[in-house]
PDB file of all heavy atoms in Angstrom:
ATOM      1  N   LEU B   6      -9.339  -3.158 -14.099  1.00  0.00           N
ATOM      2  CA  LEU B   6      -8.108  -3.134 -14.523  1.00  0.00           C
ATOM      3  C   LEU B   6      -7.056  -3.192 -13.444  1.00  0.00           C
ATOM      4  O   LEU B   6      -6.125  -3.891 -13.410  1.00  0.00           O
ATOM      5  CB  LEU B   6      -7.747  -1.873 -15.336  1.00  0.00           C
ATOM      6  CG  LEU B   6      -8.369  -1.748 -16.766  1.00  0.00           C
ATOM      7  CD1 LEU B   6      -7.946  -0.518 -17.426  1.00  0.00           C
ATOM      8  CD2 LEU B   6      -8.006  -2.997 -17.574  1.00  0.00           C
ATOM      9  N   SER B  18      -1.853   0.811 -16.811  1.00  0.00           N
ATOM     10  CA  SER B  18      -1.845   1.274 -18.174  1.00  0.00           C
ATOM     11  C   SER B  18      -1.399   0.179 -19.078  1.00  0.00           C
ATOM     12  O   SER B  18      -1.797  -0.005 -20.129  1.00  0.00           O
ATOM     13  CB  SER B  18      -0.846   2.500 -18.278  1.00  0.00           C
ATOM     14  OG  SER B  18       0.361   2.122 -17.744  1.00  0.00           O
ATOM     15  N   TYR B  47     -13.333 -10.543 -17.229  1.00  0.00           N
ATOM     16  CA  TYR B  47     -13.313  -9.113 -17.087  1.00  0.00           C
ATOM     17  C   TYR B  47     -14.168  -8.400 -18.113  1.00  0.00           C
ATOM     18  O   TYR B  47     -14.142  -8.747 -19.275  1.00  0.00           O
ATOM     19  CB  TYR B  47     -11.796  -8.674 -17.316  1.00  0.00           C
ATOM     20  CG  TYR B  47     -11.736  -7.181 -17.589  1.00  0.00           C
ATOM     21  CD1 TYR B  47     -11.853  -6.265 -16.487  1.00  0.00           C
ATOM     22  CD2 TYR B  47     -11.468  -6.703 -18.806  1.00  0.00           C
ATOM     23  CE1 TYR B  47     -11.807  -4.974 -16.760  1.00  0.00           C
ATOM     24  CE2 TYR B  47     -11.374  -5.371 -19.081  1.00  0.00           C
ATOM     25  CZ  TYR B  47     -11.513  -4.477 -18.038  1.00  0.00           C
ATOM     26  OH  TYR B  47     -11.409  -3.183 -18.233  1.00  0.00           O
ATOM     27  N   ARG B  54     -15.572   4.168 -19.343  1.00  0.00           N
ATOM     28  CA  ARG B  54     -15.154   4.344 -20.731  1.00  0.00           C
ATOM     29  C   ARG B  54     -15.934   5.506 -21.384  1.00  0.00           C
ATOM     30  O   ARG B  54     -15.288   6.324 -22.109  1.00  0.00           O
ATOM     31  CB  ARG B  54     -15.592   3.081 -21.513  1.00  0.00           C
ATOM     32  CG  ARG B  54     -14.486   2.196 -21.878  1.00  0.00           C
ATOM     33  CD  ARG B  54     -14.781   1.322 -22.944  1.00  0.00           C
ATOM     34  NE  ARG B  54     -13.629   0.458 -23.129  1.00  0.00           N
ATOM     35  CZ  ARG B  54     -13.685  -0.765 -23.655  1.00  0.00           C
ATOM     36  NH1 ARG B  54     -14.860  -1.324 -24.021  1.00  0.00           N
ATOM     37  NH2 ARG B  54     -12.626  -1.447 -23.725  1.00  0.00           N
ATOM     38  N   ARG B  57     -14.598   8.752 -20.097  1.00  0.00           N
ATOM     39  CA  ARG B  57     -13.254   9.057 -20.646  1.00  0.00           C
ATOM     40  C   ARG B  57     -13.277   9.388 -22.212  1.00  0.00           C
ATOM     41  O   ARG B  57     -12.699  10.325 -22.578  1.00  0.00           O
ATOM     42  CB  ARG B  57     -12.371   7.858 -20.352  1.00  0.00           C
ATOM     43  CG  ARG B  57     -10.945   8.004 -20.850  1.00  0.00           C
ATOM     44  CD  ARG B  57     -10.216   9.105 -20.105  1.00  0.00           C
ATOM     45  NE  ARG B  57      -9.402   9.760 -21.035  1.00  0.00           N
ATOM     46  CZ  ARG B  57      -8.115  10.011 -20.887  1.00  0.00           C
ATOM     47  NH1 ARG B  57      -7.505   9.699 -19.846  1.00  0.00           N
ATOM     48  NH2 ARG B  57      -7.525  10.655 -21.874  1.00  0.00           N
TER      49      ARG B  57
ATOM     50  P    DG D   9     -14.346   0.745  -9.366  1.00  0.00           P
ATOM     51  OP1  DG D   9     -15.277  -0.392  -9.252  1.00  0.00           O
ATOM     52  OP2  DG D   9     -13.134   0.790  -8.548  1.00  0.00           O
ATOM     53  O5'  DG D   9     -13.876   0.933 -10.800  1.00  0.00           O
ATOM     54  C5'  DG D   9     -14.910   0.903 -11.829  1.00  0.00           C
ATOM     55  C4'  DG D   9     -14.278   1.247 -13.184  1.00  0.00           C
ATOM     56  O4'  DG D   9     -13.755   2.577 -13.118  1.00  0.00           O
ATOM     57  C3'  DG D   9     -13.022   0.438 -13.597  1.00  0.00           C
ATOM     58  O3'  DG D   9     -13.348  -0.092 -14.913  1.00  0.00           O
ATOM     59  C2'  DG D   9     -11.897   1.394 -13.451  1.00  0.00           C
ATOM     60  C1'  DG D   9     -12.577   2.723 -13.826  1.00  0.00           C
ATOM     61  N9   DG D   9     -11.956   3.888 -13.192  1.00  0.00           N
ATOM     62  C8   DG D   9     -11.152   3.944 -12.017  1.00  0.00           C
ATOM     63  N7   DG D   9     -10.755   5.119 -11.722  1.00  0.00           N
ATOM     64  C5   DG D   9     -11.186   5.875 -12.823  1.00  0.00           C
ATOM     65  C6   DG D   9     -11.001   7.256 -13.111  1.00  0.00           C
ATOM     66  O6   DG D   9     -10.380   8.102 -12.458  1.00  0.00           O
ATOM     67  N1   DG D   9     -11.550   7.619 -14.338  1.00  0.00           N
ATOM     68  C2   DG D   9     -12.235   6.797 -15.142  1.00  0.00           C
ATOM     69  N2   DG D   9     -12.793   7.359 -16.312  1.00  0.00           N
ATOM     70  N3   DG D   9     -12.426   5.521 -14.872  1.00  0.00           N
ATOM     71  C4   DG D   9     -11.898   5.172 -13.740  1.00  0.00           C
ATOM     72  P    DC D  10     -12.162  -0.803 -15.737  1.00  0.00           P
ATOM     73  OP1  DC D  10     -12.919  -1.859 -16.521  1.00  0.00           O
ATOM     74  OP2  DC D  10     -11.054  -1.207 -14.895  1.00  0.00           O
ATOM     75  O5'  DC D  10     -11.724   0.311 -16.788  1.00  0.00           O
ATOM     76  C5'  DC D  10     -12.728   0.870 -17.640  1.00  0.00           C
ATOM     77  C4'  DC D  10     -12.151   2.129 -18.362  1.00  0.00           C
ATOM     78  O4'  DC D  10     -11.710   3.002 -17.365  1.00  0.00           O
ATOM     79  C3'  DC D  10     -10.948   1.753 -19.231  1.00  0.00           C
ATOM     80  O3'  DC D  10     -11.347   1.977 -20.536  1.00  0.00           O
ATOM     81  C2'  DC D  10      -9.807   2.702 -18.719  1.00  0.00           C
ATOM     82  C1'  DC D  10     -10.539   3.705 -17.948  1.00  0.00           C
ATOM     83  N1   DC D  10      -9.771   4.141 -16.725  1.00  0.00           N
ATOM     84  C2   DC D  10      -9.477   5.526 -16.678  1.00  0.00           C
ATOM     85  O2   DC D  10      -9.776   6.327 -17.591  1.00  0.00           O
ATOM     86  N3   DC D  10      -8.726   6.015 -15.596  1.00  0.00           N
ATOM     87  C4   DC D  10      -8.391   5.176 -14.714  1.00  0.00           C
ATOM     88  N4   DC D  10      -7.640   5.629 -13.636  1.00  0.00           N
ATOM     89  C5   DC D  10      -8.641   3.761 -14.677  1.00  0.00           C
ATOM     90  C6   DC D  10      -9.396   3.308 -15.745  1.00  0.00           C
ATOM     91  P    DT D  11     -10.243   1.621 -21.785  1.00  0.00           P
ATOM     92  OP1  DT D  11     -11.066   1.355 -23.004  1.00  0.00           O
ATOM     93  OP2  DT D  11      -9.262   0.735 -21.229  1.00  0.00           O
ATOM     94  O5'  DT D  11      -9.512   3.019 -21.974  1.00  0.00           O
ATOM     95  C5'  DT D  11     -10.337   4.086 -22.437  1.00  0.00           C
ATOM     96  C4'  DT D  11      -9.496   5.370 -22.587  1.00  0.00           C
ATOM     97  O4'  DT D  11      -8.872   5.736 -21.382  1.00  0.00           O
ATOM     98  C3'  DT D  11      -8.370   5.233 -23.603  1.00  0.00           C
ATOM     99  O3'  DT D  11      -8.335   6.397 -24.349  1.00  0.00           O
ATOM    100  C2'  DT D  11      -7.032   5.134 -22.653  1.00  0.00           C
ATOM    101  C1'  DT D  11      -7.585   6.011 -21.545  1.00  0.00           C
ATOM    102  N1   DT D  11      -6.958   5.770 -20.239  1.00  0.00           N
ATOM    103  C2   DT D  11      -6.537   6.815 -19.479  1.00  0.00           C
ATOM    104  O2   DT D  11      -6.566   7.980 -19.862  1.00  0.00           O
ATOM    105  N3   DT D  11      -5.986   6.552 -18.331  1.00  0.00           N
ATOM    106  C4   DT D  11      -5.811   5.201 -17.664  1.00  0.00           C
ATOM    107  O4   DT D  11      -5.371   5.076 -16.563  1.00  0.00           O
ATOM    108  C5   DT D  11      -6.389   4.184 -18.497  1.00  0.00           C
ATOM    109  C7   DT D  11      -6.288   2.741 -18.055  1.00  0.00           C
ATOM    110  C6   DT D  11      -6.863   4.501 -19.664  1.00  0.00           C
ATOM    111  P    DT D  12      -7.523   6.450 -25.728  1.00  0.00           P
ATOM    112  OP1  DT D  12      -8.258   7.154 -26.713  1.00  0.00           O
ATOM    113  OP2  DT D  12      -6.921   5.140 -26.017  1.00  0.00           O
ATOM    114  O5'  DT D  12      -6.298   7.442 -25.314  1.00  0.00           O
ATOM    115  C5'  DT D  12      -6.566   8.720 -24.731  1.00  0.00           C
ATOM    116  C4'  DT D  12      -5.279   9.344 -24.221  1.00  0.00           C
ATOM    117  O4'  DT D  12      -4.993   8.771 -22.878  1.00  0.00           O
ATOM    118  C3'  DT D  12      -4.068   9.027 -25.073  1.00  0.00           C
ATOM    119  O3'  DT D  12      -3.317  10.238 -25.144  1.00  0.00           O
ATOM    120  C2'  DT D  12      -3.329   7.954 -24.345  1.00  0.00           C
ATOM    121  C1'  DT D  12      -3.579   8.442 -22.820  1.00  0.00           C
ATOM    122  N1   DT D  12      -3.395   7.365 -21.890  1.00  0.00           N
ATOM    123  C2   DT D  12      -3.048   7.765 -20.643  1.00  0.00           C
ATOM    124  O2   DT D  12      -2.831   8.932 -20.235  1.00  0.00           O
ATOM    125  N3   DT D  12      -2.891   6.814 -19.698  1.00  0.00           N
ATOM    126  C4   DT D  12      -3.041   5.461 -19.926  1.00  0.00           C
ATOM    127  O4   DT D  12      -2.863   4.551 -19.045  1.00  0.00           O
ATOM    128  C5   DT D  12      -3.431   5.045 -21.288  1.00  0.00           C
ATOM    129  C7   DT D  12      -3.638   3.542 -21.663  1.00  0.00           C
ATOM    130  C6   DT D  12      -3.670   6.046 -22.147  1.00  0.00           C
ATOM    131  P    DT D  13      -2.502  10.586 -26.401  1.00  0.00           P
ATOM    132  OP1  DT D  13      -3.354  11.147 -27.487  1.00  0.00           O
ATOM    133  OP2  DT D  13      -1.672   9.363 -26.817  1.00  0.00           O
ATOM    134  O5'  DT D  13      -1.508  11.737 -25.851  1.00  0.00           O
ATOM    135  C5'  DT D  13      -2.040  12.575 -24.899  1.00  0.00           C
ATOM    136  C4'  DT D  13      -1.004  12.931 -23.788  1.00  0.00           C
ATOM    137  O4'  DT D  13      -0.978  11.795 -22.912  1.00  0.00           O
ATOM    138  C3'  DT D  13       0.450  12.958 -24.384  1.00  0.00           C
ATOM    139  O3'  DT D  13       1.050  14.208 -23.797  1.00  0.00           O
ATOM    140  C2'  DT D  13       1.128  11.675 -23.933  1.00  0.00           C
ATOM    141  C1'  DT D  13       0.355  11.448 -22.613  1.00  0.00           C
ATOM    142  N1   DT D  13       0.402   9.950 -22.239  1.00  0.00           N
ATOM    143  C2   DT D  13       0.695   9.557 -20.914  1.00  0.00           C
ATOM    144  O2   DT D  13       0.957  10.448 -20.060  1.00  0.00           O
ATOM    145  N3   DT D  13       0.632   8.266 -20.645  1.00  0.00           N
ATOM    146  C4   DT D  13       0.305   7.345 -21.520  1.00  0.00           C
ATOM    147  O4   DT D  13       0.352   6.043 -21.115  1.00  0.00           O
ATOM    148  C5   DT D  13       0.003   7.778 -22.880  1.00  0.00           C
ATOM    149  C7   DT D  13      -0.280   6.685 -23.872  1.00  0.00           C
ATOM    150  C6   DT D  13       0.063   8.996 -23.187  1.00  0.00           C
TER     151       DT D  13
END
Side-chain angles (χ1 to χ4, degrees):
Chain B
L6 289 185
S18 53
Y47 166 74
R54 255 201 185 153
R57 177 68 221 231

